[in-house]
Amino acid sequence: MGFLFMKKGLIHIYTGEGKGKTTASIGLAIRAAGQGKKALFVQFFKLDDAPSGEKEIFKNIPEIELIRSNVRHPMFTKENTDKDLVKKSITDTFEAIKKRIDKGDVNLLVLDEINSVVAGGWLSLDELAAFLRNRPEGLEVVLTGRDAHVELVKMADYVTEMLKIKHPFDNGVKARKGIEY
């Protein structure tokens, strides 16, 4: 039996407690760009001015476009969280994604931390699922973040769970430039 060559884009999920979800999606975006494909990389819960290695390298790869929701995750802002601002930012970012995809030139869409967005109730599962069902036929989509919803897992073609065995953060080591961001 030969390989099935598909025009339909598939859905990938990188989830779990371990490190590597965003890193894997960055690698896939770079791989796609290296083959002349256009990638839209969307980072939820990242400030526009927050430094990251991927943000810097994406500036030099015209095939990869970066959008950030420009709010921090409520786990970092705790009692200072402006929930209305977070909700508006997520909603506005998701609407911008839909408009950008409608242009028809994106081959790979990475929704970094979207699983956390849905798990936190910032975007409804139904809205994301409808978007995935109605996406352009050739659009490959990556969903990252902890707590991937079981319905998204059922929809996905690839599901990878990053399992944390050990992490330096558990011993008080803070995020390191060039490794975690």
Side-chain angles (χ1 to χ4, degrees), residues 47-106:
L47 297 174
D48 286 339
D49 61 357
S52 73
E54 63 269 21
K55 181 176 139 183
E56 295 308 312
I57 202 71
F58 287 172
K59 289 178 185 176
N60 298 313
I61 305 174
E63 294 83 7
I64 301 176
E65 180 181 344
L66 177 64
I67 295 175
R68 288 181 158 186
S69 68
N70 201 31
V71 291
R72 293 187 74 203
H73 194 290
M75 76 177 176
F76 297 115
T77 55
K78 307 229 185 286
E79 66 277 350
N80 295 324
T81 300
D82 181 338
K83 292 181 178 169
D84 292 334
L85 177 66
V86 174
K87 177 74 172 169
K88 181 174 178 3
S89 174
I90 297 298
T91 301
D92 290 352
T93 301
F94 196 67
E95 289 305 312
I97 293 163
K98 292 191 283 189
K99 286 179 184 167
R100 181 63 189 84
I101 294 302
D102 283 346
K103 290 184 181 178
D105 64 337
V106 174

Side-chain angles (χ1 to χ4, degrees), residues 126-139:
D126 291 343
E127 190 170 359
L128 179 57
F131 170 78
L132 293 170
R133 280 192 298 276
N134 297 311
R135 72 191 186 280
E137 183 180 32
L139 183 64

Side-chain angles (χ1 to χ4, degrees), residues 19-38:
K19 180 181 175 356
K21 298 174 288 291
T22 298
T23 306
S25 63
I26 292 166
L28 187 58
I30 290 170
R31 176 177 283 164
Q35 294 294 339
K37 306 234 179 249
K38 176 78 175 164

Side-chain angles (χ1 to χ4, degrees), residues 136-156:
E137 183 180 32
L139 183 64
E140 199 90 5
V141 180
V142 178
L143 313 173
T144 78
R146 297 172 183 210
D147 304 317
H149 195 283
V150 66
E151 293 305 317
L152 296 174
V153 170
K154 288 178 184 176
M155 290 180 76

Side-chain angles (χ1 to χ4, degrees), residues 20 115 147 159:
N115 294 327
D147 304 317
V159 179

Side-chain angles (χ1 to χ4, degrees), residues 118-130:
V118 172
W122 303 105
L123 180 72
S124 77
L125 171 64
D126 291 343
E127 190 170 359
L128 179 57

